[in-house]
Amino acid sequence: TTTTTTTRTSTTTTTTRPTTTTTRTTTPTATTTKTTTTTTTTRATTTSTKTTTTTKTSTTTPTTTKTTTTTRSMRSGLPLMGYLCTTCASLDFGTLILNLPSVYKSVILAFALWDSQGNLLNYWDANGLTLTASVVSTLHSQGRKVYLSVGGATAPKIGAESASFITTMATQLAGLKTSLGLDGFDWNIETCNANDGASALACCKTLSAITNQTNARAPGTRWTTSPQMPYVYPLLNSIQYINNQQAALVSMQMSSFDAIMPQMYNQW
C-alpha cells in the first residue's frame, strides 16, 4: 500500500527595491532636495513539498490445502473370492455366511476331504454351519457363486489313484452340486503323493480325470484351483517333485477353471 502525502510550505521572499523620489521645492533660492524613498515589495512564493510515504503491508493470502484421503472401500463390483473355513476358527458360521460383505462375489466353503476309496468326508459343516440348498440359494440371491473346496492342508495325499477311486469321488461331487445347487468346486491340493516329476504328473492326471467325470455327470460345473505357488512355477519347462508339481493340471483343465489362485503364504 503506497500513501502519498503532499505538504505545501509557504515561503515569503522579501525584495527591496530602491525608489528614487525627486521633490522639487521652488524657493527664491533655487534649492533641489533629493529624497530617497524605499518601496518594499513582498512576493509570496509557494513551495510544494511532496512527501511520499511507502508502507509495505504484508497481506496473507488464504492457502487452500487439498487433503486426499484414500479409503479402501468394499465396492460391490469387485469380483473377490474368499474361503470360508468352518474348522479354522471358532465363529458362528451359520450367521456369518448369510451376512458376508458384498465385495465377495464368490464364496468357497472349506473343506471336503476323502478316504482311501474316494468317498468324500464332510469337514465343511462345523461351528453352527450346516450347508443346505437353502443357504446356497440365499447366497445366490445376494449375487454370489458358491463353491466347495476339495483338499486343504490336512487332506490325504493323492496320486495315481484307481479308476474306482476316480469314479466314486466324481459321482459324489456331481451329487453335491445337484443336491445343494452349488456352482462348482475348488481343487486345494496342497501336496500330491509324489516324490518326482513322474508321480507328480500322475497326481495331475487323477485330478483331471475326476474333473472330467464330474463335468460329464453334472454339466456346467465350474472349477477353481489354489495350488502352492511353486506348484505352478512359470519359469520352468519341466515337472518336478515340488516345482511345477501341478502345472499339468492347470494345462489339462485350463478351459474348466474360472480362477487359478496360487497360495503365496506357505512356500514363496
Side-chain angles (χ1 to χ4, degrees), residues 3-262:
T3 304
T4 302
T5 304
T6 303
T7 305
R8 296 183 180 274
T9 305
S10 296
T11 304
T12 303
T13 303
T14 303
T15 304
T16 303
R17 291 182 178 178
T19 303
T20 302
T21 304
T22 302
T23 305
R24 289 198 174 115
T25 306
T26 303
T27 59
T29 301
T31 303
T32 302
T33 304
K34 191 175 181 179
T35 305
T36 301
T37 305
T38 302
T39 302
T40 302
T41 303
T42 302
R43 290 182 179 177
T45 304
T46 302
T47 303
S48 296
T49 303
K50 186 175 182 181
T51 304
T52 302
T53 304
T54 302
T55 304
K56 187 174 181 181
T57 304
S58 177
T59 304
T60 302
T61 304
T63 302
T64 302
T65 303
K66 185 176 182 181
T67 303
T68 302
T69 303
T70 302
T71 304
R72 294 181 178 273
S73 61
M74 289 188 173
R75 294 178 291 167
S76 59
L78 294 175
L80 295 187
M81 309 181 79
Y83 277 86
L84 196 67
C85 178
T86 56
T87 58
C88 296
S90 297
L91 300 172
D92 181 4
F93 284 93
T95 300
L96 177 63
I97 195 172
L98 300 178
N99 296 278
L100 297 173
S102 60
V103 67
Y104 291 104
K105 295 302 183 183
S106 296
V107 180
I108 304 176
L109 277 298
F111 288 101
L113 276 64
W114 57 88
D115 64 14
S116 59
Q117 284 76 47
N119 295 294
L120 294 176
L121 305 177
N122 184 338
Y123 277 76
W124 62 86
D125 285 341
N127 286 323
L129 173 64
T130 300
L131 187 61
T132 64
S134 177
V135 172
V136 174
S137 178
T138 298
L139 292 173
H140 282 161
S141 71
Q142 297 171 351
R144 312 179 201 270
K145 290 182 173 61
V146 185
Y147 300 79
L148 178 62
S149 185
V150 183
T154 61
K157 293 183 178 182
I158 194 168
E161 306 298 337
S162 65
S164 62
F165 180 101
I166 293 170
T167 299
T168 297
M169 184 176 289
T171 301
Q172 293 185 14
L173 287 174
L176 282 174
K177 181 186 184 303
T178 302
S179 62
L180 294 176
L182 296 171
D183 292 281
F185 301 97
D186 169 70
W187 283 124
N188 190 322
I189 306 302
E190 300 198 14
T191 307
C192 282
N193 186 15
N195 53 22
D196 55 29
S199 53
L201 179 59
C203 169
C204 291
K205 288 181 176 180
T206 295
L207 297 173
S208 182
I210 296 170
T211 301
N212 289 336
Q213 287 198 29
T214 303
N215 291 342
R217 289 172 170 77
T221 300
R222 309 175 75 102
W223 295 87
T224 64
T225 186
S226 51
Q228 304 274 3
M229 186 64 232
Y231 295 171
V232 286
Y233 190 41
L235 299 182
L236 293 179
N237 59 2
S238 62
I239 297 175
Q240 302 175 5
Y241 164 53
I242 294 295
N243 294 325
N244 274 345
Q245 183 185 107
Q246 292 177 31
L249 174 62
V250 173
S251 177
M252 293 173 185
Q253 294 296 333
M254 181 64 75
S255 61
S256 298
F257 288 131
D258 284 347
I260 300 171
M261 305 170 290

